[in-house]
């Protein structure tokens, strides 16, 4: 074999060797891909968030029997709430907004706001299902929470029947539930939802004694209306006209905690806050706690609750704890009480 033939032979062998190596690598990856590929592929539908559906005014009228007074299940500063039955057989709550609020917000994007608010779905929230708007009418369709009364009823409006009085364990559970619901609004929903009016009448208590926060994000209907707000928003809301904010929601939650601890209502002028804060600072918890209940042998969970309440209402917005911090503490307190009871 000549020198030229030797070079050609060597080149051919080198090419074949490289080709075999490349082929081996390709076969190896094909084998691996086939080996780990499932025999059947399941198409996973994209996760979609439920959005409020538009309803005609005729739909709302028919569902409430013409807004029949016998269908009324609640009244508040936003409007009147009716028990309603949809054609599908679903029982819902229909809130008919007061005409004065409709007129004062005629140019506001009601439908777009309701669609955004309806993206919130959490066990401690009352879900928004739909809406209706017409000249002079604004209506909200919400989840119907059966057998409920507001926290305001359980704390302040009930008679002397102690069978309906919330015990300390239930109050801690409610406190943690409200905090969890507000935390979801502030930290999970995007963009965040500011409730704007955290107070006992906006917290429903279901048959399992779970807290369900309602009317979140509707403060645009009454941005600086004092009715129903006084006592549950901070000084910055009024004095500096800073309006609703996450920090303001935390303040309202702090007031609810004080009401759960004391069984007293925070009237106009923040009378409860003014009365309770000195007692907490001076560690006079026996004077603070609801006298209708027996003081538990272990008051540590209630002391922690009182200190959280003090931090929420006793500080400016800048120094107030976040809802994440508050919810974490209250969940730990409620969980610790549940574990000790088992």
């Amino acid at each position: 074999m000549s020198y030229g033939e030797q070079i050609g032979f060597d080149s051919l062998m080198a090419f074949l060797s490289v080709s075999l190596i490349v082929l081996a690598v390709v076969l190896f990856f094909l084998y691996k891909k086939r080996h780990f590929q499932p025999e059947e592929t399941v198409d996973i539908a994209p996760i979609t968030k439920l959005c409020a559906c538009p309803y005609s005014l005729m739909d709302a009228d028919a569902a409430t029997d013409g807004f029949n007074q016998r269908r009324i299940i609640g009244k508040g500063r936003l409007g009147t709430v009716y028990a309603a039955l949809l054609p599908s057989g679903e029982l819902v709550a229909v809130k008919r907004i007061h005409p004065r609020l409709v007129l004062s917000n005629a140019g506001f994007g009601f439908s777009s706001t309701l669609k955004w608010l309806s993206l919130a779905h959490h066990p401690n929230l009352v879900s928004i299902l739909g809406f209706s708007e017409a000249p002079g009418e604004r209506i909200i369709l919400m989840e119907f929470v059966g057998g409920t009364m507001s926290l305001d009823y359980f704390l302040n409006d009930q008679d002397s029947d102690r069978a309906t009085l919330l015990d300390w364990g239930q109050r801690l559970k409610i406190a943690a539930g409200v905090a969890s619901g507000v935390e979801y609004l502030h930290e999970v929903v995007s963009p965040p939802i500011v409730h704007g009016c955290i107070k006992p009448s906006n917290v429903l208590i279901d048959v399992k004694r779970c807290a369900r926060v309602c009317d979140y994000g509707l403060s645009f209907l009454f941005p600086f209306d004092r009715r129903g707000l006084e006592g549950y928003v901070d000084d910055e809301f009024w004095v500096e006209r800073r309006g609703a904010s996450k920090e303001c929601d935390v303040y309202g939650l702090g007031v609810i905690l004080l009401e759960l601890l004391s069984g007293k209502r925070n009237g106009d002028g923040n009378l409860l806050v003014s009365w309770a804060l000195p007692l907490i600072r001076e560690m006079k918890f026996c004077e603070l706690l609801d006298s209708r209940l027996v003081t538990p042998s272990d008051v540590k969970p209630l002391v922690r609750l009182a200190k959280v309440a003090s931090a929420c209402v006793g500080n400016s917005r800048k120094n107030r704890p976040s809802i994440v911090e508050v919810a974490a503490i209250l969940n730990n307190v409620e969980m610790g009480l549940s574990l000790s009871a088992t």
Side-chain angles (χ1 to χ4, degrees):
M1 181 181 295
S2 65
Y3 178 76
E5 291 175 335
Q6 182 65 41
I7 293 177
F9 178 80
D10 291 341
S11 299
L12 178 62
M13 293 302 294
F15 174 78
L16 290 175
S17 299
V18 172
S19 299
L20 287 173
I21 293 172
V22 172
L23 180 61
V25 171
V26 171
L27 290 174
F28 173 79
F29 280 107
L30 288 174
Y31 169 80
K32 294 284 286 185
K33 182 178 180 180
R34 182 178 180 182
H35 183 72
F36 289 104
Q37 182 73 22
E39 293 183 2
E40 291 184 15
T41 58
V42 179
D43 293 328
I44 301 176
I47 298 175
T48 57
K49 294 183 177 180
L50 297 178
C51 184
C53 300
Y55 288 83
S56 69
L57 183 59
M58 292 182 60
D59 292 333
D61 185 84
T64 58
D65 292 337
F67 298 103
N68 194 312
Q69 288 192 352
R70 289 178 295 179
R71 292 271 193 169
I72 295 176
I73 56 176
K75 291 183 177 182
R77 69 193 189 108
L78 270 181
T80 304
V81 183
Y82 300 82
L85 190 65
L86 298 179
S88 63
E90 181 182 5
L91 186 62
V92 299
V94 168
K95 184 185 290 289
R96 191 182 194 185
I97 305 300
H98 282 308
R100 63 178 179 84
L101 296 178
V102 175
L103 292 175
S104 62
N105 293 275
F108 196 86
F110 181 79
S111 60
S112 59
T113 300
L114 266 293
K115 288 179 180 179
W116 163 51
L117 297 178
S118 70
L119 297 178
H121 297 282
H122 187 274
N124 295 113
L125 298 177
V126 177
S127 298
I128 293 175
L129 306 177
F131 61 90
S132 176
E133 59 178 333
E137 289 283 3
R138 297 291 186 274
I139 293 167
I140 303 173
L141 283 76
M142 304 173 295
E143 174 188 4
F144 184 88
V145 185
T148 62
M149 297 297 291
S150 72
L151 179 59
D152 188 54
Y153 165 81
F154 282 101
L155 291 178
N156 303 301
D157 294 334
Q158 60 180 329
D159 54 26
S160 59
D161 183 7
R162 287 185 173 270
T164 60
L165 192 61
L166 297 170
D167 61 36
W168 291 120
Q170 291 170 336
R171 296 187 190 203
L172 288 172
K173 179 181 179 181
I174 290 168
V178 175
S180 294
V182 177
E183 180 186 26
Y184 177 87
L185 294 175
H186 286 188
E187 305 299 328
V188 178
V189 182
S190 181
I193 296 174
V194 172
H195 188 291
C197 188
I198 302 287
K199 61 179 184 177
S201 59
N202 284 336
V203 177
L204 302 182
I205 308 300
D206 65 19
V207 292
K208 296 181 179 179
R209 295 295 190 260
C210 291
R212 307 288 298 277
V213 179
C214 62
D215 288 358
Y216 44 87
L218 299 178
S219 59
F220 70 89
L221 292 170
F222 42 84
F224 290 101
D225 188 345
R226 286 185 175 271
R227 284 171 291 187
L229 277 179
E230 284 190 305
Y232 298 97
V233 294
D234 53 21
D235 291 338
E236 291 97 327
F237 186 96
W238 305 115
V239 177
E240 301 177 20
R241 302 286 289 183
R242 295 173 63 181
S245 67
K246 290 183 178 181
E247 295 81 7
C248 191
D249 281 355
V250 171
Y251 181 92
L253 175 57
V255 177
I256 286 182
L257 299 184
L258 291 179
E259 295 196 13
L260 286 168
L261 285 164
S262 67
K264 301 179 186 296
R265 177 187 278 115
N266 188 40
D268 296 345
N270 283 344
L271 298 179
L272 175 60
V273 173
S274 301
W275 170 78
L277 284 181
L279 296 179
I280 297 173
R281 295 191 185 104
E282 297 168 16
M283 305 290 284
K284 296 181 179 179
F285 296 108
C286 290
E287 297 180 33
L288 173 69
L289 300 181
D290 193 339
S291 59
R292 295 173 295 177
L293 294 177
V294 176
T295 302
S297 56
D298 183 10
V299 297
K300 290 180 181 178
L302 301 182
V303 170
R304 292 190 69 187
L305 193 67
K307 290 182 176 180
V308 171
S310 177
C312 291
V313 302
N315 292 304
S316 64
R317 290 189 178 186
K318 182 179 179 181
N319 298 318
R320 203 166 290 157
S322 69
I323 190 61
V324 175
E325 295 171 306
V326 173
I329 295 173
L330 296 184
N331 284 327
N332 287 338
V333 171
E334 196 265 331
M335 187 178 299
L337 190 69
S338 301
L339 291 175
S340 62
T342 57

